Amino acid sequence: MNNLSYYVDNHGTLTYDEYSQGLEYCLEIVRRFQDPDSLRKELSPLRATFNEEQLNYLDSIQVYKVSQPFNLTQDELNILHSYGFYTKETDHYLLSNRFLIEVRDASSRLTTVIGWYPDLRKYITIATRYFSKQIDWFNIDTALDLSYNFYNKQVIVVEGIFDALSLASLGLPAVATMGA
């Protein structure tokens, strides 16, 4: 990993590309605490509509449950705090025991990370500087590639992230409005 302290020290003045790169480093850190077995062990029984093909797709994009990070370096802890993975008031790690879902822009730059679990909150979105539910579409990068290459520039628009993931697992260009 690059010098993580750069992304913390300059957090307020980072360009869009730099900010996205810092968020990628956060994702690398958090992914170390994922449980690949959680997909079939926990997610499969929760959603009766997931077939093996859909589970394989979720596996390929690493939609796994993540636990509380531990034994982090000070730089790793600082960057996760700077990017909002911990609450400021209570220092609570927001994505603990949730399935990680990446949200990328049309150019495949990471804009936020969402933690999903079928509880009262359901989705917890890391509040990042360049993400807005009113502007961003889930799966837009993948859907645009498919659309332009195989589907005569047509895209299927759905409301929910898992609806888009289910269609994407079938090879269809689907985006989700994420409730906007």
Side-chain angles (χ1 to χ4, degrees):
M1 273 189 232
N2 245 348
N3 183 1
L4 297 181
S5 60
Y6 171 82
Y7 297 94
V8 174
D9 296 342
N10 298 296
H11 191 262
T13 59
L14 296 173
T15 66
Y16 182 70
D17 286 333
E18 289 173 326
Y19 190 88
S20 181
Q21 182 58 56
L23 191 55
E24 290 280 1
Y25 289 135
C26 291
L27 185 61
E28 283 180 37
I29 295 166
V30 171
R31 284 213 183 278
R32 294 193 328 240
F33 302 95
Q34 285 185 308
D35 176 11
D37 294 332
S38 63
L39 181 65
R40 283 177 172 72
K41 184 173 60 182
E42 294 186 50
L43 189 56
S44 182
L46 293 174
R47 305 273 300 205
T49 58
F50 284 155
N51 61 34
E52 191 61 27
E53 190 171 295
Q54 292 165 320
L55 290 171
N56 287 339
Y57 182 75
L58 294 176
D59 195 28
S60 74
I61 60 170
Q62 298 182 22
V63 176
Y64 304 135
K65 200 171 188 182
V66 65
S67 63
Q68 172 83 34
F70 58 92
N71 293 334
L72 298 176
T73 67
Q74 191 59 52
D75 279 348
E76 290 172 332
L77 197 56
N78 288 344
I79 195 169
L80 289 176
H81 275 86
S82 292
Y83 277 82
F85 283 74
Y86 288 85
T87 61
K88 290 180 182 170
E89 302 81 28
T90 61
D91 202 35
H92 172 73
Y93 176 66
L94 293 171
L95 301 179
S96 188
N97 296 316
R98 294 189 171 276
F99 290 89
L100 285 187
I101 301 168
E102 301 173 22
V103 178
R104 296 184 176 274
D105 67 11
S107 298
S108 295
R109 290 175 292 204
L110 187 63
T111 58
T112 194
V113 178
I114 295 174
W116 175 85
Y117 197 76
D119 58 8
L120 186 62
R121 299 250 346 242
K122 208 170 198 180
Y123 293 99
I124 295 179
T125 303
I126 300 300
T128 59
R129 184 183 316 154
Y130 295 105
F131 174 74
S132 168
K133 282 175 71 169
Q134 285 69 35
I135 297 170
D136 294 307
W137 296 70
F138 175 74
N139 202 42
I140 190 73
D141 57 330
T142 305
L144 287 179
D145 285 344
L146 275 173
S147 171
Y148 281 101
N149 292 320
F150 302 106
Y151 289 95
N152 199 26
K153 301 178 185 171
Q154 296 180 13
V155 175
I156 301 166
V157 178
V158 297
E159 188 273 332
I161 289 173
F162 280 96
D163 297 328
L165 288 171
S166 290
L167 292 171
S169 75
L170 300 172
L172 297 172
V175 297
T177 63
M178 296 182 283

